Amino acid sequence: MAMWLKALLFALVGIVVMLVNGAFIIYMLRKVLGHAHLRLGPTELGPAGLAQLIPDILKLLTKEDRHPNQTDKWLYCLAPIIVFVPSLTAFAFIPYGEKLVAANPNLGLLMMIAFLSVVPIGIFAAGWASRNKYALIGAMRSVGGAISYEIPLLLAALAPVMLSGSANLSDIVHAQAGGIWYILPCLPSAVIFFLCAQMETNQTPFDMAEAEGELVAGFSTEYSAMRFGFMYLSEFAGNFTMAALIATLFLGGWTLPGVDPATMGVFGPVVLVLKTYLVIFCFMMVRGNFSRYRVDQYAALGWKKLIPITLGWTLLLAVILKVLQMVGLWGGWS
Amino acid sequence: MLNAIAFGVLGFALLLGAVNAVTAGNVVHAAFWLLECACASAGFIWFLGAEYIAIIQLLVYAGAVGILVIFTVMVTHRSYEDAERQVRVAWLPLVFAAALFGLLAYGILTNQTLASMTSAADSLTIAEFGRQMFSPDGWTLAFEIASLVLTVGLIAAVWWTRDTDTDADGSTPADTQGGDA
């Protein structure tokens, strides 16, 4: 019984964190993108325009829930849920501290990516059920993107696994606390993971599924009010989860260099959240500074560049590690 | 008690998905029901303690095969009406399926070694997994054979979405059945 209560508590905390994160990212989008475009963003309501969030959220909640009558009823209503649930579930695998982790299986990294791979199916369901050609094109692009970018994403995530000898996210954090952050020895993997994370979460230079210049709003064209809000909430949740995964794999997770992990205590989650928002800030800077890819460039980048590069680099890293181990410069795994 | 409830919910979801995947009139709906089925069986496997198999179930069946089936449906249908199909009851495959189920159920229920087996998945680390996967007496061959599932998925998707309506030249479904599949 206690186990179930704990699971319920974690789910509740997860939902609250996702809601707060959604509000925070809306504010960040307005401010960070604003300054990147030499605008100020909201300034009138509250200190530094912070209270602008309240009308933003009220607008989403009180808008009319329009339901186009040509849609595929069941799938149309189900799609925002299919998108939201895996984003929330993947969130459970991130370690926030020594004991602060909802689920800590040995193959946590793989499991988390398995859950995230379900998200494009929800996006596809939304686009198909909308009975709108723009939505359908967006949905197909999202599925095509999922096929091309999950391979380099997984391959890039292999580098920290090779260095730490474990696919358990807590072990990866501990291995980094004892040595160096993995962004240094495997920078190419970190860069590729960063790129694929942006593609996976539909961030602007790679947001083929919604490309508003071409497809109105892509898969979410026919959604309004809170259903639309849900789509966006899960996009922001995906942002947070991916950024937290990058922080965990390459930036030392909840630990700090030179600080004993045992003494981190309550600062663990604070450190991780700060690192996560730093990564999200980088996502937004990319978003503000690069123009959107064309759909053929997007596919070519995945298949012709990222997959061969990650394959080659992962092989090279494995050979280097083996040689270093044989020479005795690297301790390897126990 | 709660485990029993979870078992019941997952079992119901699995059966519901299976029945609907077969009987849905719309191929895209059928594909989604198949996905639901894959997720429910992943949940089942997870409950049995085989965490790695559950991940593979989710990644390969829900992720890869699901997307493959949906993709095939997408590229072979030009309009929404194309996705509608006629559902006919085929008795012979039903008998075969029932016989296979009976055989498997009998085999599993009467096999003492299977019944007393416990899962070692809880202690499975990535290094241990690699050793089991790639050692010559390990799972290499089985894994390679299992990877044919994508090809099977593709063939099934093409067969599933083939044009069974009367063609432009007036031929009946029976004429075109062999060629398209």
Side-chain angles (χ1 to χ4, degrees):
Chain A
M1 197 66 191
M3 195 185 85
W4 288 82
L5 277 177
K6 196 179 143 201
L8 209 65
L9 193 70
F10 266 117
L12 206 68
V13 170
I15 290 172
V16 170
V17 170
M18 282 304 134
L19 288 172
V20 174
N21 165 64
F24 192 70
I25 289 187
I26 293 176
Y27 183 70
M28 260 178 99
L29 274 174
R30 285 183 177 281
K31 276 297 188 189
V32 175
L33 280 184
H35 282 277
H37 296 157
L38 300 179
R39 293 181 284 111
L40 288 176
T43 53
E44 296 299 317
L45 290 175
L50 199 63
Q52 181 67 38
L53 279 174
I54 299 165
D56 271 352
I57 292 167
L58 273 181
K59 187 194 79 174
L60 264 185
L61 288 171
T62 53
K63 258 185 168 175
E64 183 194 352
D65 184 15
R66 224 175 92 270
H67 194 143
N69 55 13
Q70 287 294 307
T71 55
D72 197 314
K73 294 263 181 311
W74 273 87
L75 220 46
Y76 180 84
C77 298
L78 216 62
I81 302 172
I82 309 179
V83 178
F84 188 68
V85 169
S87 318
L88 191 65
T89 317
F91 177 75
F93 296 102
I94 301 281
Y96 289 88
E98 189 67 59
K99 293 266 186 287
L100 274 170
V101 47
N104 195 18
N106 274 326
L107 299 167
L109 173 64
L110 203 57
M111 217 175 259
M112 193 169 159
I113 293 175
F115 274 108
L116 286 173
S117 74
V118 179
V119 174
I121 293 168
I123 291 182
F124 177 82
W128 191 83
S130 292
R131 297 273 166 127
N132 172 317
K133 61 183 168 191
Y134 298 113
L136 190 61
I137 294 171
M140 288 187 73
R141 285 182 178 185
S142 143
V143 176
I147 294 177
S148 30
Y149 289 108
E150 259 158 33
I151 302 165
L153 184 84
L154 259 171
L155 284 173
L158 274 184
V161 174
M162 277 199 281
L163 282 166
S164 66
S166 170
N168 178 310
L169 290 169
S170 286
D171 286 354
I172 291 176
V173 171
H174 277 290
Q176 289 177 88
I180 46 167
W181 288 1
Y182 288 153
I183 190 167
L184 294 173
C186 42
L187 185 66
S189 290
V191 172
I192 289 167
F193 196 92
F194 183 77
L195 278 176
C196 294
Q198 279 178 301
M199 288 151 183
E200 190 80 7
T201 53
N202 255 326
Q203 291 302 291
T204 283
F206 314 106
D207 64 338
M208 290 302 121
E210 52 171 297
E212 63 272 83
E214 309 154 24
L215 299 177
V216 194
F219 65 95
S220 53
T221 305
E222 296 295 332
Y223 283 86
S224 60
M226 209 44 218
R227 281 185 221 281
F228 176 80
F230 247 109
M231 291 281 193
Y232 265 74
L233 204 58
S234 38
E235 186 182 320
F236 295 148
N239 258 344
F240 184 90
T241 318
M242 269 298 177
L245 187 58
I246 291 175
T248 304
L249 288 179
F250 297 105
L251 300 173
W254 50 272
T255 60
L256 281 174
V259 181
D260 182 15
T263 60
M264 286 297 285
V266 287
F267 293 107
V270 177
V271 167
L272 183 76
V273 168
L274 282 178
K275 283 176 181 172
T276 303
Y277 281 107
L278 191 71
V279 176
I280 293 178
F281 179 78
C282 295
F283 281 161
M284 285 183 186
M285 289 320 278
V286 173
R287 189 173 174 160
N289 286 296
F290 291 90
S291 53
R292 180 178 293 120
Y293 267 46
R294 244 181 16 235
V295 69
D296 59 311
Q297 292 171 326
Y298 170 75
L301 180 68
W303 289 107
K304 293 184 188 162
K305 298 210 177 73
L306 288 184
I307 293 178
I309 290 172
T310 16
L311 273 174
W313 160 248
T314 310
L315 189 67
L316 185 70
L317 185 69
V319 171
I320 291 172
L321 286 181
K322 194 69 199 170
V323 169
L324 284 181
Q325 197 182 14
M326 283 160 77
V327 179
L329 286 172
W330 184 61
W333 323 286
S334 49
Chain B
M1 177 60 194
L2 282 158
N3 281 6
I5 293 171
F7 184 85
V9 169
L10 282 173
F12 178 73
L14 187 59
L15 285 177
L16 186 77
V19 168
N20 276 310
V22 175
T23 58
N26 187 311
V27 275
V28 179
H29 286 180
F32 278 110
W33 281 116
L34 195 67
L35 276 177
E36 198 255 272
C37 238
C39 292
S41 47
F44 250 126
I45 297 167
W46 200 324
F47 242 78
L48 294 174
E51 135 198 320
Y52 179 73
I53 310 273
I55 301 172
I56 292 303
Q57 174 79 16
L58 209 58
L59 264 177
V60 174
Y61 283 88
V65 173
I67 283 189
L68 196 68
V69 168
I70 286 170
F71 221 62
T72 317
V73 173
M74 293 305 312
V75 295
T76 50
H77 289 85
R78 278 154 299 169
S79 68
Y80 288 101
E81 289 69 35
D82 277 351
E84 295 296 331
R85 61 171 179 173
Q86 275 162 3
V87 179
R88 279 166 304 184
V89 181
W91 293 105
L92 196 61
L94 191 66
V95 172
F96 270 120
L100 186 64
F101 174 77
L103 201 67
L104 282 174
Y106 177 77
I108 291 166
L109 289 175
T110 54
N111 192 328
Q112 289 305 314
T113 29
L114 262 183
S116 62
M117 254 163 82
T118 52
S119 161
D122 280 347
S123 58
L124 191 68
T125 63
I126 194 103
E128 181 61 29
F129 165 69
R131 243 170 258 130
Q132 287 192 8
M133 199 72 167
F134 295 109
S135 62
D137 51 347
W139 292 92
T140 315
L141 187 66
F143 184 73
E144 288 302 320
I145 293 170
S147 65
L148 280 174
V149 75
L150 278 178
T151 319
V152 175
L154 188 64
I155 294 169
V158 171
W159 176 82
W160 199 8
T161 57
R162 79 201 189 286
D163 193 3
T164 47
D165 295 333
T166 309
D167 285 330
D169 59 359
S171 58
T172 57
D175 296 329
T176 55
Q177 211 155 19
D180 285 1

